[in-house]
Each structure stands twice: as C-alpha cells, then as structure tokens.
Amino acid sequence: MQLLKDKILKEGKVLSDTVLKVDSFLNHQIDPLLMKEIGDEFANRYSDQIITKILTIESSGIAPATMLGLTIGAPVVFARKRKSLTLSGNLYSANVHSFTKNETNEISVSKDFITADDNVLIIDDFLANGEAVKGLLDIAQQAGATVIGVGIVIEKGFQEGGMHLREQGIRIESLANIKSLTNGQVEFYD
Ligand code: 5GP
C-alpha cells in the first residue's frame, strides 16, 4: 500500500536493525485518515470472505481493526492484556511474549464475544516473530471459531513470524512488508 509506505519513509524512525518506531501515526498519535484507508484496504483484500468478527489486541491493533469494522460492518473484539474487576471468569486466555517489551503477558477475551459460529479476521499493527498473532489464533481456536486470515499493517519480513504462519497455511495480508532496517534505512519488499 503506497500511501502507508510513503508515510513510513517520511515519519518512521529506525531505532535499531529490528525495531521501527511509528509513533506519529500508529502507536501513539493516530492518523485517522490513514487508518480509514488501511481499513478499506483490508476490506478490499478480504472482500472474497465473509467476516463476522475482527479480533485484535490492545492497544495498537484497535485503530486499524475499528476502521475495517466500520467499512464492513463487523464488530471488533480486542484481547486485553490485563485482567480487571470487569474482566474475570468466562475467558479464553493465551500467553504472548512481547517482542518490544521482552515480557510475557496473558491476553484474554471474554467467551461472550467469540463463538464457534464466527468467521474471524485477525488484525494487528506489526508482525515480527508472530507471537501476538499466535496468541490470537490460540484464542480463536479455543472458541472453535474459523480464522479466515490475518491482516497486518506493517510486517517485518526479515523476522520469522510471517514465514512460520504461512507455512501453517494461514493467509496473511500485510500492507507494507519491510525487507531490512539496516543502516537506519527502511527497505521494503516489492
Ligand atoms: P510479534 O508478536 O509478531 O513478535 O510482534 C508483534 C507485536 O510486537 C506487535 O503487536 C507490536 O506491538 C510489537 N512490535 C513488534 N515489532 C515492532 C516494531 O518494530 N515496532 C513497533 N512499534 N512495534 C513492534
């Protein structure tokens, strides 16, 4: 998606050979117009499928997932990283090791919001080692839902998550796929 690639080149900050900071439009400040385009692009790419539920993880998956939900008219469920008084019992849970924080979180989704009748599309902001997506797949599987695919805003194709998931036959659509972040430069796959 050219608009997204241009934004990454203009505003993305390469923090290391493996980490890209996009706080100006995705991870801290949000660019709603770009998010709307992103939602529309996911809708286009999965227009051959019936999606009854969009599943993401807080917090940075919520904006793109919601814009997709707005376009296709499907509800968005976000896995929560912390339990609270209002989120206890009756949960599907999975462990996710965070690439950027180097800590493991238990993520949870209420059993009320994903069922065996759902056709689920998983959305997230980044795909690196695939831990977050694997946790969401685990939750969808516990619910007996059908996962029709994964939509990723920025895949870092030089890390192994995408490869492993595709090897398992999972459809992944990423809107920008980064080949390398070496020497402070962002290079994309075509
Ligand atoms: P994975 O679980 O695939 O290893 O990593 C994906 C998760 O880690 C995403 O939900 C995202 O929040 C975070 N992440 C991974 N790599 C990056 C990165 O280069 N930049 C930012 N901002 N977040 C990342």
Side-chain angles (χ1 to χ4, degrees), residues 15 18-23 26-27 57-61 81 96-101 124-134 152 154 156 158-159 161-162 165 181:
L15 295 190
T18 55
V19 179
L20 176 69
K21 183 171 171 174
V22 286
D23 276 13
L26 181 59
N27 291 136
I57 182 167
E58 66 176 349
S59 51
S60 295
K81 291 179 180 161
V96 171
H97 185 78
S98 163
F99 173 76
T100 44
K101 299 195 184 102
D124 203 8
D125 59 340
F126 272 87
L127 176 60
N129 295 321
E131 291 292 315
V133 169
K134 277 187 229 157
I152 297 290
I154 304 173
K156 290 181 294 176
F158 58 88
Q159 292 176 290
L165 292 163
L181 291 174

Side-chain angles (χ1 to χ4, degrees), residues 55 57 79-83 91-98 103-110 130-143:
L55 178 62
I57 182 167
R80 295 177 63 166
K81 291 179 180 161
R82 258 184 227 132
K83 294 209 175 106
L91 299 173
Y92 297 117
S93 295
N95 283 326
V96 171
H97 185 78
S98 163
E103 62 185 28
T104 300
N105 288 302
E106 188 181 43
I107 62 165
S108 303
V109 170
S110 165
E131 291 292 315
V133 169
K134 277 187 229 157
L136 294 172
L137 283 167
D138 188 349
I139 283 176
Q141 204 169 20
Q142 289 175 47

Side-chain angles (χ1 to χ4, degrees), residues 4-189:
L4 173 63
K5 288 187 191 172
D6 291 345
K7 189 81 164 175
I8 293 169
L9 290 175
K10 192 158 166 242
E11 298 185 16
K13 295 195 168 54
V14 177
L15 295 190
S16 71
D17 285 358
T18 55
V19 179
L20 176 69
K21 183 171 171 174
V22 286
D23 276 13
S24 69
F25 61 92
L26 181 59
N27 291 136
H28 193 2
Q29 175 171 259
I30 289 170
D31 179 338
L33 294 177
L34 178 64
M35 288 307 127
K36 180 73 179 92
E37 295 289 332
I38 284 171
D40 289 351
E41 181 69 21
F42 282 136
N44 260 333
R45 294 200 188 193
Y46 279 102
S47 59
D48 57 329
Q49 300 286 331
I50 291 168
I51 299 162
T52 64
K53 202 116 326 163
I54 300 160
L55 178 62
T56 188
I57 182 167
E58 66 176 349
S59 51
S60 295
I62 296 175
T66 302
M67 291 304 181
L68 168 62
L70 193 62
T71 304
I72 66 172
V76 177
V77 179
F78 61 93
R80 295 177 63 166
K81 291 179 180 161
R82 258 184 227 132
K83 294 209 175 106
S84 70
L85 281 178
T86 56
L87 184 78
S88 59
N90 204 33
L91 299 173
Y92 297 117
S93 295
N95 283 326
V96 171
H97 185 78
S98 163
F99 173 76
T100 44
K101 299 195 184 102
N102 196 23
E103 62 185 28
T104 300
N105 288 302
E106 188 181 43
I107 62 165
S108 303
V109 170
S110 165
K111 289 184 180 174
D112 292 340
F113 300 129
I114 301 203
T115 72
D117 293 332
D118 278 318
N119 276 341
V120 173
L121 179 64
I122 291 173
I123 295 287
D124 203 8
D125 59 340
F126 272 87
L127 176 60
N129 295 321
E131 291 292 315
V133 169
K134 277 187 229 157
L136 294 172
L137 283 167
D138 188 349
I139 283 176
Q141 204 169 20
Q142 289 175 47
T146 303
V147 174
I148 55 142
V150 177
I152 297 290
V153 180
I154 304 173
E155 177 172 355
K156 290 181 294 176
F158 58 88
Q159 292 176 290
E160 292 191 341
M163 189 186 70
H164 288 151
L165 292 163
R166 288 183 181 97
E167 273 172 7
Q168 291 170 42
I170 295 162
R171 176 174 171 190
I172 300 177
E173 296 283 345
S174 30
L175 306 190
N177 195 345
I178 294 175
K179 191 176 187 179
S180 158
L181 291 174
T182 49
N183 302 321
Q185 298 293 318
V186 181
E187 201 188 329
F188 295 104
Y189 288 103

